[in-house]
Amino acid sequence: MKQPTILDVAARAGVSKSLVSLVMTDPSRVGEANRKAVLEAAKDLGYRPNAVARSLVQRRTGVIGIVLSDLHNPFFADVADGIEAAASERGYRAMLSSGFLDPKRERSAITTMLELRVDGLIIMGSMMKVGRIEGVATALPVTLVGRHTRSKRLDSVCTDDAAGAREAVAHLAELGHTRIAHIHAGSAAGSPRRRRGYEKEMIKRGLVDRIRVFRGDFTESGGAKAMIEILNSGDMPTAVFAPNDAAALGAMEVIDDAGLDIPGDISLIGYDDLTLSGLPRISLTTVGQPRTDLGREAAQLVLERLDEGREDARHVVVPPSLVIRSTTGPPPGDADAQPSEDPQ
Amino acid sequence: MKQPTILDVAARAGVSKSLVSLVMTDPSRVGEANRKAVLEAAKDLGYRPNAVARSLVQRRTGVIGIVLSDLHNPFFADVADGIEAAASERGYRAMLSSGFLDPKRERSAITTMLELRVDGLIIMGSMMKVGRIEGVATALPVTLVGRHTRSKRLDSVCTDDAAGAREAVAHLAELGHTRIAHIHAGSAAGSPRRRRGYEKEMIKRGLVDRIRVFRGDFTESGGAKAMIEILNSGDMPTAVFAPNDAAALGAMEVIDDAGLDIPGDISLIGYDDLTLSGLPRISLTTVGQPRTDLGREAAQLVLERLDEGREDARHVVVPPSLVIRSTTGPPPGDADAQPSEDPQ
DNA sequence: CTGAAAGCGCTTACAG
DNA sequence: CTGAAAGCGCTTACAG
């Protein structure tokens, strides 16, 4: 089980260990005969460089750490694809860890990454407060994905969640909806802005009295629970704006099970435009985000600090885009279409 | 940007570096006063232990590496949950990397894990040949998830794919189907056995002439492509057994778009029982696997080698279970129900 | 309970 | 092009 080291290779090839190191690093700088001998010895022994030792002396690991809040949300998989693509183009490797939708476990995942001395860190859909994350940004480049911030110490990339939410609400309002409820995901990344966008657009449309906000989260079950509450609230909306597609799917399940028609009885909008949401049977109206691009951009931000010496914080915001499918339509009645009424 | 080391802490606390190390390792063995001084100095400096250095001397990293073939498949997220749970209970941390459904990139991900000197490796849904993976199993404990093997050098945990496939086909046959096609996913983990199970059950039922196999993969788009081929084959089956739920979803999309009814015109079965597959609008008949348990078991196998000195290979096979939902029903005609006929 | 020494497996200048 | 020496940041025996 003991692995061969550079010394074993050197002994077998009959050269010094420095020469072996040189061959491993830059074979072209070594004479033909010695190079061959070293390479052959390494192969015979099944030598595999010890990145731990290398990292210690180089003070860099070549690894970009990714901490995502939920491994189950396909949204992050696409972002991770983008990160990995950009990182590997520049000679870095990506390594993932999950925060399991829990700020404490997320914090622990981040700590592990820091102790492992990853060169840069990308945190997606964080459940933590930005202030707490800023504390680690002194040690290495950190980029937040999906969370808005104006921090001077770390970078961020996200879409304009408020704008996306407003587009969603505007779409519903233009279809004639006034009783539009919103499921939010607490302080999870992106949710506060989406909620604010919902509220602002409702106010702008003169629907301030119709604002109804229910607590859910970014998961299917969270969306389902919130939808059950909505159905039991005795104040049935004609449309629901969910905080993301996963939650919308949970809400959809509850609505379907209740025997209600979408969008006949109730319209539904999500956020993220998961591949899944485009399936004919789901056909969810949603707000799309350029997932892979978000990932590429996030990696780029880290690499700029790592390899180009950038020091000032950058915050990239890209526009979201409404994707209209089959879960939104006019409300059941039309008399409801006038704004600013008593909620009953 | 330079991080404080144990020496900085020692200097600030006015003690030797060994003492600092001791405090970090086992504070209870150090006197009250010194312990406090060290801890305070560490806090003031924002000291964070360098796991790279620690790993180098301890010759262990405390990390279990997970290489999964596809970050987009929610199946793996659940397995990873199980791994992480079992690993953290025993003081290990889990770290993920994707193989991007490509044997070469998978190999590269594995190599990175080895160079990083993870203590154990769990490979899920591998696209590689077992023989090639065995080569690395001399250096550290390796467990394969979802791939059958009798290797003497590494462990494996999976469900009985052949049995699951046979159950699926039996279910269709008992509904009266004879023209049952199968989409397979090449040599990807689990697929060959599922294909063989399909073929065996078809033969057992006297349907050897009705065997139709189409090449797809374990993704939605792979299932969709195969389904298009099936529709264009001029030999429409009354039922399709997909290699997994993701592929079944792709097939479902194509069938829906073609204006055909499921299960009225064609029955559909998947494999995995993703959460998603239970949604009312999907309601996919499928073969379930205990995902989290698979993960826990996989971690357990690695930990047994790591901490309990087990040397002989263990191969755990758990039974799958058919989950009957709404995508399977009797075939359109009933005359077809007799076995062993000319395929036209 | 505490300190000095050696070493984990590499790379990095630095001489030859 | 090649070799000896120092050191990355820790832990591990080993004396006191």
Side-chain angles (χ1 to χ4, degrees):
Chain A
M1 222 67 167
K2 176 111 172 30
Q3 305 228 38
T5 74
I6 211 176
L7 280 172
D8 301 315
V9 177
R12 185 176 182 105
V15 299
S16 78
K17 68 169 187 172
S18 317
L19 217 228
V20 176
S21 174
L22 238 190
V23 172
M24 294 302 159
T25 313
D26 183 5
S28 72
R29 287 178 51 198
V30 176
E32 171 85 22
N34 274 334
R35 192 197 330 154
K36 266 195 172 169
V38 168
L39 258 17
E40 202 176 355
K43 201 181 164 192
D44 292 348
L45 260 30
Y47 171 73
R48 208 179 295 278
N50 185 331
V52 174
R54 193 199 314 131
S55 299
L56 182 60
V57 37
Q58 291 189 152
R59 279 110 161 264
R60 48 189 302 289
T61 52
V63 175
I64 305 285
I66 303 175
V67 172
L68 37 71
S69 60
D70 184 12
L71 209 51
H72 295 79
N73 192 332
F75 178 80
F76 297 121
D78 286 323
V79 181
D81 280 354
I83 295 172
E84 148 78 22
S88 69
E89 279 167 16
R90 304 271 290 264
Y92 288 87
R93 319 180 156 282
M95 218 84 172
L96 264 84
S97 190
S98 172
F100 298 93
L101 285 171
D102 173 359
K104 279 180 199 149
R105 296 180 74 184
E106 182 182 328
R107 190 178 169 71
S108 147
I110 291 173
T111 300
T112 300
M113 290 284 187
L114 292 176
E115 294 188 357
L116 256 26
R117 294 294 194 268
V118 296
D119 291 340
L121 192 56
I122 295 174
I123 304 175
M124 308 204 262
S126 180
M127 307 288 287
M128 290 171 64
K129 290 181 188 149
V130 173
R132 302 209 67 166
I133 299 174
E134 273 184 317
V136 315
T138 55
L140 82 179
V142 175
T143 296
L144 257 37
V145 176
R147 181 184 276 282
H148 293 258
T149 169
R150 290 189 190 123
S151 170
K152 294 276 174 222
R153 302 165 70 173
L154 43 76
D155 303 322
S156 71
V157 44
C158 53
T159 53
D160 188 338
D161 289 301
R166 296 186 71 154
E167 274 194 64
V169 174
H171 167 60
L172 292 169
E174 274 153 27
L175 283 168
H177 292 273
T178 56
R179 295 160 61 176
I180 304 169
H182 176 51
I183 299 171
H184 74 103
S187 59
S191 182
R193 293 247 167 177
R194 289 175 199 173
R195 177 178 177 168
R196 216 170 315 146
Y198 157 78
E199 290 167 347
K200 280 203 180 164
E201 191 64 23
M202 290 294 278
I203 291 167
K204 182 186 160 196
R205 302 256 166 191
L207 301 173
V208 62
D209 296 337
R210 307 300 188 111
I211 289 176
R212 296 287 182 284
V213 162
F214 294 82
R215 176 62 198 259
D217 59 32
F218 276 150
T219 71
E220 203 185 303
S221 66
K225 273 182 208 151
M227 193 63 222
I228 288 171
E229 257 194 65
I230 292 175
L231 292 184
N232 292 338
S233 69
D235 181 23
M236 262 286 283
T238 60
V240 171
F241 170 42
N244 72 348
D245 281 7
L249 251 35
M252 176 182 275
E253 180 171 12
V254 170
I255 299 170
D256 285 345
D257 282 342
L260 294 170
D261 184 61
I262 304 176
D265 296 312
I266 190 162
S267 284
L268 183 63
I269 291 198
Y271 206 111
D272 280 353
D273 191 21
L274 302 180
T275 311
L276 188 63
S277 307
L279 288 176
R281 296 188 176 210
I282 306 292
S283 194
L284 181 70
T285 295
T286 184
V287 181
Q289 309 193 65
R291 296 185 288 273
T292 313
D293 292 344
L294 287 178
R296 283 195 158 273
E297 190 63 43
Q300 174 64 23
L301 289 174
V302 166
L303 294 169
E304 282 175 7
R305 285 188 188 258
L306 241 30
D307 296 337
E308 294 161 26
R310 177 168 59 76
E311 303 252 317
D312 53 308
R314 275 190 59 199
H315 301 287
V316 177
V317 180
V318 302
S321 56
L322 186 66
V323 181
I324 298 173
R325 295 207 183 90
S326 321
T327 58
T328 48
D334 272 327
D336 261 322
Q338 48 194 311
S340 235
E341 282 232 327
D342 191 277
Q344 295 312 326
Chain B
M1 221 68 169
K2 176 111 174 30
Q3 306 228 36
T5 74
I6 211 175
L7 281 173
D8 300 314
V9 177
R12 185 177 183 104
V15 300
S16 78
K17 67 169 189 173
S18 316
L19 217 229
V20 177
S21 173
L22 237 190
V23 173
M24 294 302 159
T25 314
D26 182 4
S28 73
R29 286 178 51 199
V30 176
E32 171 86 21
N34 274 334
R35 193 200 325 155
K36 267 195 173 170
V38 168
L39 257 17
E40 202 176 353
K43 202 182 164 194
D44 292 348
L45 260 30
Y47 172 73
R48 208 179 292 279
N50 185 330
V52 174
R54 192 200 314 131
S55 300
L56 181 59
V57 35
Q58 291 189 152
R59 278 107 160 266
R60 49 189 300 288
T61 52
V63 175
I64 306 284
I66 303 175
V67 173
L68 38 73
S69 61
D70 183 12
L71 208 51
H72 294 79
N73 193 332
F75 178 81
F76 297 122
D78 286 323
V79 181
D81 280 354
I83 295 172
E84 150 78 22
S88 68
E89 280 167 17
R90 305 272 290 264
Y92 288 87
R93 319 178 157 284
M95 217 83 170
L96 264 84
S97 189
S98 172
F100 298 93
L101 285 171
D102 173 359
K104 279 180 199 149
R105 295 180 74 182
E106 182 181 328
R107 189 180 170 69
S108 148
I110 292 173
T111 300
T112 300
M113 290 282 188
L114 293 175
E115 294 188 357
L116 256 25
R117 295 296 193 265
V118 296
D119 292 339
L121 192 56
I122 296 174
I123 304 175
M124 307 205 262
S126 181
M127 307 289 287
M128 290 171 63
K129 289 179 188 151
V130 173
R132 302 209 67 167
I133 299 174
E134 273 184 318
V136 316
T138 54
L140 82 179
V142 175
T143 296
L144 257 36
V145 176
R147 181 184 278 283
H148 293 258
T149 169
R150 291 190 189 121
S151 169
K152 295 274 174 222
R153 302 166 70 175
L154 43 77
D155 305 322
S156 71
V157 43
C158 53
T159 54
D160 187 337
D161 290 301
R166 296 186 70 153
E167 274 195 65
V169 174
H171 167 59
L172 292 169
E174 274 152 28
L175 283 169
H177 291 274
T178 56
R179 294 160 61 176
I180 303 169
H182 177 51
I183 299 171
H184 74 103
S187 59
S191 182
R193 292 248 168 175
R194 291 175 198 173
R195 177 178 177 166
R196 216 170 315 146
Y198 157 80
E199 289 167 348
K200 279 203 180 163
E201 191 64 24
M202 290 294 277
I203 291 167
K204 181 186 160 196
R205 303 257 165 188
L207 300 173
V208 63
D209 295 337
R210 306 300 188 110
I211 289 175
R212 295 287 182 283
V213 163
F214 294 81
R215 175 63 198 259
D217 58 33
F218 276 149
T219 70
E220 202 185 305
S221 67
K225 272 182 209 153
M227 193 64 220
I228 289 170
E229 257 194 64
I230 292 175
L231 292 184
N232 291 338
S233 69
D235 181 22
M236 263 285 284
T238 60
V240 171
F241 170 43
N244 72 349
D245 281 7
L249 252 34
M252 177 182 276
E253 179 172 14
V254 169
I255 298 170
D256 286 345
D257 282 343
L260 294 170
D261 183 63
I262 303 176
D265 296 314
I266 191 162
S267 285
L268 183 63
I269 290 196
Y271 206 112
D272 281 352
D273 191 22
L274 302 181
T275 311
L276 187 65
S277 307
L279 289 176
R281 297 189 176 207
I282 306 291
S283 193
L284 181 69
T285 295
T286 183
V287 182
Q289 309 194 64
R291 296 185 289 272
T292 312
D293 292 344
L294 287 178
R296 282 195 158 274
E297 189 64 44
Q300 174 63 22
L301 290 173
V302 166
L303 294 168
E304 282 175 7
R305 285 188 188 258
L306 241 29
D307 296 337
E308 293 161 25
R310 178 168 58 77
E311 303 252 319
D312 53 308
R314 275 190 59 199
H315 301 286
V316 177
V317 180
V318 302
S321 56
L322 187 65
V323 181
I324 299 173
R325 295 207 184 89
S326 322
T327 57
T328 47
D334 272 325
D336 261 322
Q338 48 194 310
S340 234
E341 282 232 327
D342 190 277
Q344 295 312 326

